[in-house]
């Protein structure tokens, strides 16, 4: 049974930091690129970041570039999203997702429809 379980969300003041974790099980984690998406109320789900199977290649949305860092630990089957300098506009439910890609980072990583597996989401709220 495939599972992606996010944790680490919460309420933080603007300018603060949070680290999201996503623990995977039920599939060959090291054969998947992993991504983070977010969805604010009334908005569509949007791409945040993604990394290749070994974390060697990464991609970020312009809105988070320089503030967020994605990383992964294949031994722990976990992907992380370190979020610094948080802004009120970062408030959303954050989802991790897995995209089968045994090599490289597909050019389609920003498209939610390309992903094979999704977590249930973690709420992040940034107070201004």
């Amino acid at each position: 049974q495939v599972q992606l379980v996010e944790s680490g969300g919460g309420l933080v003041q603007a300018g603060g930091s949070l680290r999201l974790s996503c623990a995977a099980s039920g599939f060959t984690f090291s054969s998947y690129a992993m991504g983070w998406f977010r969805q604010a109320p009334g908005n569509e789900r949007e791409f945040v970041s993604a990394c290749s199977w070994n974390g060697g290649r990464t991609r970020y949305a312009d809105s988070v570039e320089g503030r967020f860092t994605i990383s992964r630990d294949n031994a722990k089957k976990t992907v992380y999203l370190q979020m610094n300098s948080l802004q009120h506009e970062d408030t959303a439910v954050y989802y991790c997702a897995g995209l089968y890609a045994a090599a490289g980072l597909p050019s389609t990583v920003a498209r939610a429809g390309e992903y094979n597996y999704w977590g249930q989401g973690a709420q992040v709220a940034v107070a201004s």
Side-chain angles (χ1 to χ4, degrees):
Q1 179 183 359
V2 171
Q3 280 194 310
L4 290 171
V5 180
E6 300 96 337
S7 61
L11 174 65
V12 65
Q13 293 292 318
S17 298
L18 282 175
R19 188 176 82 154
L20 300 180
S21 300
C22 174
S25 61
F27 62 100
T28 306
F29 183 71
S30 59
S31 293
Y32 283 71
M34 295 300 295
W36 287 95
F37 288 76
R38 66 187 182 186
Q39 188 167 17
N43 292 355
E44 294 186 354
R45 192 168 297 191
E46 66 172 357
F47 171 76
V48 175
S49 181
C51 68
S52 59
W53 69 276
N54 63 352
R57 297 185 64 185
T58 59
R59 182 172 170 184
Y60 297 92
D62 290 344
S63 59
V64 307
E65 181 83 53
R67 300 188 297 123
F68 290 12
T69 303
I70 190 171
S71 62
R72 65 189 293 163
D73 184 334
N74 285 352
K76 295 182 177 180
K77 299 183 180 180
T78 301
V79 61
Y80 306 97
L81 185 68
Q82 176 67 42
M83 305 184 294
N84 298 329
S85 301
L86 283 160
Q87 306 165 358
H88 180 66
E89 294 72 25
D90 297 315
T91 295
V93 177
Y94 283 70
Y95 299 89
C96 72
L99 169 63
Y100 180 73
L105 189 62
S107 61
T108 56
V109 290
R111 301 178 190 170
E114 296 293 314
Y115 284 75
N116 305 102
Y117 306 125
W118 288 87
Q120 293 300 306
Q123 176 71 54
V124 171
V126 184
S128 56

